[in-house]
Amino acid sequence: MTDHPEETSEAAAAELPTVAPRLRDLRRRSGLTLEAAARRVGLSPAHLSRLETNRRQPSLPMLLALARTYGTTVSDLLGETAPERDPIVRAGRTEPSEAGGWTYWTLGGAGRAMQALRLHVPQRAQGDLVRVHPGEEWLYVLAGQLRLTLGEAVHLLGPGDAAHFDSLTPHRIAAASQGGADLLFVHTLLQSGAAELCLGDAAPRRGL
């Protein structure tokens, strides 16, 4: 299994805070070996080891996959956790972050069963990156055009369009407009052995 192409950009990765200690701690607390965790996330053990030793930092889709595997949120991985019981997220507290060219704002609190994000997806090639994992996803297009691939079907979504789908359906998200696409994105955070059913030598490449 090879590394994801969008994680090879050292310039983009350099903009992320160090997540290595948190990744290593979460894996150990989850009782997963390096090999088992890598298999669930869709990485090689060597690549996950590089993430845990700060020799490589993950893109946003990979952060989402890691957060889902360990039952936490991207904001928690990046040390941006807001008070768990505060139900309100004020506009002034939502600082943008960037990973792998995707810009995102955390719109939900920590310690919840789902995570809400505002995303800007740039128009750029993503190769054959397809995501498969347990859970559900919901998205709402704010601006631009979004190309959503669900299984064999390809949907072009515009402002005001939404999608709600089972994440075990192979899916791919890409911007179809020159200026990229802005969307609201909500996904469930699950730790499930069912993730292993999606993996293997012939499994689709996975990320978000």
Side-chain angles (χ1 to χ4, degrees):
M1 188 173 293
T2 56
D3 297 341
H4 296 306
E6 60 189 287
E7 292 168 8
T8 59
S9 172
E10 297 299 333
E15 299 185 20
L16 285 170
T18 299
V19 298
R22 183 68 174 145
L23 289 179
R24 187 166 54 249
D25 179 60
L26 284 170
R27 176 176 61 79
R28 290 173 176 172
R29 284 167 51 186
S30 298
L32 296 172
T33 64
L34 189 69
E35 291 74 16
R39 190 166 60 247
R40 289 192 179 190
V41 179
L43 288 175
S44 67
H47 188 85
L48 182 57
S49 177
R50 287 194 290 272
L51 295 178
E52 290 189 357
T53 54
N54 202 32
R55 288 178 289 165
R56 182 73 61 82
Q57 291 208 19
S59 65
L60 177 55
M62 183 50 57
L63 280 172
L64 287 164
L66 288 163
R68 184 179 292 108
T69 297
Y70 298 138
T72 187
T73 63
V74 170
S75 58
D76 183 42
L77 285 179
L78 298 180
E80 301 170 352
T81 306
E84 288 191 13
R85 299 306 174 188
D86 186 353
I88 306 302
V89 179
R90 300 293 183 185
R93 288 168 46 191
T94 57
E95 293 295 326
S97 299
E98 185 174 324
W102 295 37
T103 303
Y104 68 96
W105 295 257
T106 299
L107 300 181
R112 306 299 182 185
M114 62 185 184
Q115 183 173 24
L117 301 169
R118 176 183 159 202
L119 295 177
H120 175 73
V121 182
Q123 185 188 37
R124 60 188 181 88
Q126 295 187 11
D128 59 352
L129 179 62
V130 175
R131 297 137 187 156
V132 180
H133 51 80
E136 296 181 42
E137 295 184 25
W138 174 90
L139 59 85
Y140 177 89
V141 181
L142 297 169
Q145 298 289 318
L146 189 75
R147 183 178 294 107
L148 173 65
T149 302
L150 295 174
E152 299 298 323
V154 178
H155 307 272
L156 188 63
L157 306 181
D161 291 336
H164 188 175
F165 54 92
D166 189 320
S167 303
L168 284 175
T169 302
H171 53 284
R172 180 176 182 270
I173 297 172
S177 50
Q178 186 174 5
D182 295 304
L183 58 146
L184 298 177
F185 176 80
V186 177
H187 71 97
T188 54
L189 299 168
L190 296 175
Q191 288 180 290
S192 172
E196 297 177 358
L197 299 176
C198 309
L199 305 177
D201 294 339
R205 299 287 297 281
R206 305 189 320 135
L208 187 62

